[in-house]
Amino acid sequence: MKRLLTTIMAALSLSALTTAQAQNLSATIHADQGQSKINKEIYGQFAEHLGSCIYGGLWVGEDSPIPNINGYRKDVFEALKALQVPVLRWPGGCFADEYHWRDGIGPRSQRPSMKNNNWGGTIEDNSFGTHEFLNLCEMLGCEPYISGNVGSGTVEELAKWVEYMTSEEGTPMAKLRKENGREKPWRVKYLGVGNESWGCGGNMRPEYYSDLYRRYSVYCRNYDGNKLYKIASGASDYDYDWTRVLMDRIGHRMDGVSLHYYTCAGWDGSKGSATQFDNNQYYWALAKCLEIDEVIQKHKAIMDEKDPKRQIDLLVDEWGTWWDEEPGTIKGHLFQQNALRDAFVAALSLNVFHRHTDRVKMANIAQIVNVLQSMILTDQKGTGHMVLTPTYHVFQMYTPFQEATYLPIDLKSETMQVAKAYFPDKATGKNAGTRPLPLVSASAAKAQDGSLVIALTNVSLDKDQTIDITLDGFQAKTVSGRILTSGNVADYNDFEHPSRVAPKAFTGAKLKKGVLTVKLPAKSLVVLQLP
């Protein structure tokens, strides 16, 4: 059966790839038609108490032999600082709806331990809590995004957490915060009222959750100039009814509604290896990740009907690849490697978010360290080694897009049809239809300094592309860029080879008479800047 699916996909791939072997591509960037800003929060991160994301990833404690800054891993902190992280979501995820914030304040030696029931049954000592998280955000210069406990917590508990974090003086929670060493309140903008309330956050119906949101959000108050941006727990990928109900029953009581979308082969059984996959499985991942475009469009259509002025934002606050855990790692800790394939998933997804920046105002990749499609991997054997993943390099290369003005780009690329199934149907072995996959993806924007920034991704495994780009409304004299590629799309960085997949200077772009010609190698990502 697997051989049958492979044959089908190979035939489809061959058919698509032989349609225009010798034909150059052309594109036009409309530099004078930019209207929407690409919020920097689209490059947001997500840190859950899951596996070694927090403990051993972000946090090692002041007494650790691993170099640290006030308990935060020094190498990880410096890498994140260089990434210009705009917003960080915490403490979950599924963990959020079992987290009771009072367990994570006060002297660390007196904090009670807890069992992480969602992720491997790990016993946690709560040494990383509210102070540690919010202080980290201050040090990184990013906005904190707190996910509140609605699943197992009370209205009073969440209300007092907001008071503890943001009230200036004269309240019991402000007094308690000061007793715990923090005189001034933190500025906390983003507050999630529950997480995945349709699943691990309470297994609720949308009607019931809507009523809970209305109740909980009333008591999450604005203190002393801190204005909360309240986020409803939104849908999982294709659940359009959830969005419709929330728009009807919550409406403008929420500032934003979340959406979760993973590039995952299925939730039962094997999801496939992060590093051992064939060509068809490679193309499957890219076509699957691009399906988020259609998913966003359908959620936007529902939101536009109920909110035509677009006052409620759509936040993709969990997204990325989800593969099998690496062999030999702890079950339930979701530690997976990160190959060049994952980097392309990141680039293609970010390009989609750019196109929908009129409604999509934040996205948070899952997750920041050691979990799923992470930015950073740290050695769990106590050596203190750290490695930057190919996905980290994508985010770093894309930093000029933060707060830039999105520009329309016309590009017609060859498109292949890719089977929807990562694995064949066990009963029939039949193909479940196909998805389209353009072989070249592009995004363009005018950066804050007035320069033009262009991202081009060629996902073809064996075909270089030459692209002639007309710059409509923009005059450039020079071009520079970097390229991310490797010999194999399954290549990844590890502690022995930390720079196997890393950006290099790109010299394949030339300007002549207002036309930018780019020679784009197979399986490569290029980001160009034109001052």
Side-chain angles (χ1 to χ4, degrees):
M1 291 182 183
K2 188 172 183 179
R3 185 175 299 172
L4 173 62
L5 180 65
T6 302
T7 301
I8 292 171
M9 293 184 70
L12 289 167
S13 302
L14 181 61
S15 173
L17 288 170
T18 55
T19 57
Q21 288 288 346
Q23 189 175 27
N24 288 7
L25 300 180
S26 61
T28 300
I29 295 174
H30 301 283
D32 55 355
Q33 295 182 21
Q35 295 182 345
S36 299
K37 182 183 71 171
I38 300 172
N39 274 22
K40 61 184 178 180
E41 286 83 2
I42 283 174
Y43 293 85
Q45 300 289 335
F46 174 30
E48 183 169 4
H49 285 250
L50 198 174
S52 53
C53 180
I54 303 295
Y55 301 107
L58 294 174
W59 178 259
V60 292
E62 294 96 328
D63 298 329
S64 173
I66 297 174
N68 65 85
I69 304 171
N70 300 327
Y72 308 104
R73 278 191 66 131
K74 185 174 185 293
D75 51 2
V76 172
F77 174 82
E78 290 175 346
L80 295 177
K81 190 74 173 176
L83 204 59
Q84 301 177 35
V85 176
V87 60
L88 182 57
R89 182 172 179 247
W90 174 87
C94 292
F95 182 84
D97 283 289
E98 290 199 62
Y99 182 67
H100 301 284
W101 66 272
R102 285 178 180 267
D103 293 342
I105 61 172
R108 295 192 192 105
S109 61
Q110 298 176 22
R111 298 180 190 179
S113 295
M114 67 172 291
K115 185 175 183 178
N116 193 330
N117 293 305
N118 288 287
W119 306 117
T122 304
I123 302 299
E124 301 200 16
D125 64 4
N126 275 310
S127 59
F128 190 96
T130 300
H131 288 248
E132 289 76 20
F133 171 68
L134 293 177
N135 289 343
L136 173 62
C137 289
E138 280 190 339
M139 292 166 65
L140 288 173
C142 72
E143 294 278 3
Y145 174 178
I146 296 289
S147 289
N149 183 346
V150 170
S152 68
T154 65
V155 173
E156 180 184 20
E157 181 181 12
L158 185 54
K160 287 188 174 180
W161 196 9
V162 171
E163 179 186 327
Y164 183 90
M165 293 184 289
T166 64
S167 62
E168 180 76 32
E169 58 186 353
T171 70
M173 292 301 100
K175 181 175 182 292
L176 179 60
R177 183 192 67 243
K178 293 177 181 183
E179 291 173 356
N180 288 328
R182 173 76 184 199
E183 182 68 23
K184 292 291 183 181
W186 294 278
R187 290 295 160 190
V188 176
K189 179 177 181 180
Y190 297 107
L191 178 70
V193 183
N195 166 77
E196 293 192 357
S197 298
W198 39 263
C200 63
N203 198 26
M204 304 174 193
R205 295 175 297 109
E207 295 83 0
Y208 178 73
Y209 169 74
S210 295
D211 288 342
L212 280 186
Y213 174 93
R214 291 165 65 123
R215 180 183 175 210
Y216 275 68
S217 65
V218 164
Y219 298 96
C220 295
R221 304 188 186 279
N222 295 324
Y223 290 94
D224 301 302
N226 186 85
K227 189 175 189 317
L228 293 172
Y229 175 106
K230 299 174 186 178
I231 302 163
S233 175
S236 175
D237 36 51
Y238 312 101
D239 188 353
Y240 306 109
D241 181 62
W242 187 278
T243 297
R244 185 174 292 105
V245 171
L246 266 58
M247 292 298 294
D248 280 336
R249 293 180 175 240
I250 299 176
H252 291 89
R253 292 177 177 85
M254 58 186 174
D255 297 295
V257 59
S258 69
L259 171 66
H260 291 180
Y261 184 91
Y262 285 98
T263 298
C264 180
W267 302 107
D268 299 320
S270 177
K271 296 175 176 61
S273 168
T275 59
Q276 298 180 27
F277 50 85
D278 60 30
N279 293 349
N280 300 315
Q281 291 168 335
Y282 161 75
Y283 285 123
W284 174 91
L286 304 184
K288 169 65 174 174
C289 89
L290 280 177
E291 196 168 67
I292 195 174
D293 193 353
E294 177 185 338
V295 170
I296 289 174
Q297 288 184 51
K298 290 183 177 180
H299 285 287
K300 279 177 60 177
I302 295 167
M303 296 176 73
D304 287 347
E305 179 185 345
K306 308 294 182 181
D307 173 39
K309 293 183 179 180
R310 297 185 174 176
Q311 297 173 313
I312 303 170
D313 300 330
L314 183 61
L315 314 177
V316 190
D317 62 13
E318 286 188 32
W319 67 275
T321 58
W322 193 319
W323 309 115
D324 290 338
E325 294 162 330
E326 288 299 307
T329 61
I330 299 173
K331 184 175 176 59
H333 281 196
L334 306 188
F335 183 92
Q336 69 184 41
Q337 250 299 349
N338 195 302
L340 184 60
R341 174 177 68 168
D342 297 273
F344 291 154
V345 168
L348 298 184
S349 299
L350 290 169
N351 292 351
V352 171
F353 301 152
H354 290 176
R355 288 198 295 274
H356 295 289
T357 194
D358 57 336
R359 181 73 85 168
V360 176
K361 301 300 183 181
M362 185 194 295
N364 306 77
I365 191 169
Q367 292 185 8
I368 195 166
V369 188
N370 290 333
V371 174
L372 299 178
Q373 192 177 349
S374 60
M375 303 292 110
I376 297 168
L377 299 176
T378 62
D379 190 354
Q380 300 308 297
K381 298 179 181 178
T383 62
H385 291 161
M386 181 203 77
V387 65
L388 305 178
T389 68
T391 298
Y392 175 97
H393 294 306
V394 173
F395 271 67
Q396 198 278 325
M397 292 170 71
Y398 269 57
T399 53
F401 283 104
Q402 293 189 20
E403 299 295 293
T405 301
Y406 173 74
L407 300 177
I409 180 169
D410 299 327
L411 170 66
K412 291 186 178 180
S413 168
E414 299 175 52
T415 299
M416 62 188 296
Q417 294 296 321
V418 180
K420 286 187 176 181
Y422 193 85
F423 298 111
D425 183 270
K426 292 181 180 179
T428 66
K430 291 183 178 180
N431 176 21
T434 63
R435 295 186 182 98
L437 173 63
L439 295 180
V440 176
S441 174
S443 192
K446 185 171 288 187
Q448 287 185 296
D449 62 5
S451 65
L452 187 66
V453 56
I454 307 170
L456 298 165
T457 305
N458 179 8
V459 301
S460 172
L461 288 170
D462 54 8
K463 184 180 179 183
D464 300 345
Q465 300 279 5
T466 298
I467 309 174
D468 294 322
I469 304 174
T470 300
L471 306 177
D472 188 6
F474 188 89
Q475 293 185 346
K477 295 181 179 179
T478 62
V479 57
S480 62
R482 293 196 297 165
I483 184 171
L484 186 69
T485 188
S486 192
N488 193 301
V489 289
D491 286 346
Y492 56 91
N493 298 329
D494 57 23
F495 304 116
E496 289 74 33
H497 311 91
S499 300
R500 180 185 284 124
V501 185
K504 296 178 174 61
F506 179 67
T507 58
K510 304 295 180 185
L511 274 167
K512 186 176 181 181
K513 295 182 179 180
V515 175
L516 175 65
T517 300
V518 183
K519 295 183 178 179
L520 194 62
K523 52 185 182 299
S524 71
L525 163 65
V526 168
V527 176
L528 303 171
Q529 285 193 275
L530 293 80

